[in-house]
Amino acid sequence: MYEFIQKFHSGWAYLALLLLVIAVVNALIGLVSKQEFTAKDRKIAIFGLIGTHTQLLIGLILYFVSDKAFSSFGLIGMGEVMKNSALRLTAVEHPLINIIAITLITIGWSKHKKLTTSESKFKTFAIFYGLGLILVLSRIPWSLWFK
């Protein structure tokens, strides 16, 4: 079961990342070209939100069914986990930073609903989704992606 969830999490990451990049690029194009915010733009943003939330859910399931995360803490202790950069990335940094990133994306989605102008909606998506994207990219375990 762990293997399936891990592969699903890795595979879905490509889709979630693509949807997030599309949402950020769309927001930047809309902001720069001063376009009107339409239903298409809202759909692009919601797909980015759904993709990242799905990735978070899969990741949380993976984290809690993994014997690696908790046995690492129990067998070698948290101090040793923090000294090992590869283990620290997968057990601490990746989950924590991505939860923060998805929180920013969710805040961006929530804030846009209260805004009235197209410029402010595009700007909100560009900022919050963009920050989320940067955080996600900063904590992807790239060495595991290209094995």
Side-chain angles (χ1 to χ4, degrees):
M1 177 151 145
Y2 172 79
E3 294 281 328
F4 172 76
I5 297 171
Q6 194 273 329
K7 296 233 183 284
F8 188 52
H9 182 65
S10 296
W12 189 268
Y14 291 104
L15 179 62
L17 198 55
L18 177 65
L19 292 170
L20 190 53
V21 167
I22 290 170
V24 170
V25 169
N26 182 66
L28 290 171
I29 290 171
L31 185 62
V32 170
S33 64
K34 301 191 184 305
Q35 294 176 1
E36 198 62 34
F37 189 84
T38 65
K40 172 195 69 95
D41 301 309
R42 190 185 67 72
K43 287 176 186 174
I44 290 172
I46 192 86
F47 285 136
L49 180 78
I50 291 169
T52 55
H53 277 232
T54 304
Q55 181 68 352
L56 174 64
L57 180 62
I58 299 164
L60 288 173
I61 292 168
L62 179 64
Y63 192 78
F64 288 108
V65 300
S66 170
D67 59 342
K68 293 178 183 175
F70 294 111
S71 66
S72 297
F73 295 144
L75 293 176
I76 62 174
M78 188 57 142
E80 293 300 316
V81 169
M82 297 306 283
K83 289 178 187 173
N84 180 328
S85 63
L87 194 53
R88 183 180 64 237
L89 175 64
T90 57
V92 180
E93 293 173 357
H94 177 75
L96 178 64
I97 297 300
N98 285 316
I99 288 170
I100 293 168
I102 293 168
T103 301
L104 286 170
I105 292 164
T106 305
I107 290 169
W109 174 259
S110 296
K111 285 178 78 63
H112 106 277
K113 294 188 276 186
K114 298 175 186 146
L115 301 171
T116 55
T117 66
S118 293
E119 180 183 8
S120 61
K121 289 183 182 206
F122 282 126
K123 189 178 203 178
T124 298
F125 282 129
I127 291 169
F128 285 93
Y129 279 45
L131 287 172
L133 176 62
I134 290 167
L135 288 176
V136 166
L137 290 173
S138 76
R139 290 297 143 221
I140 290 176
W142 295 105
S143 62
L144 297 177
W145 268 32
F146 300 109
K147 264 189 169 176

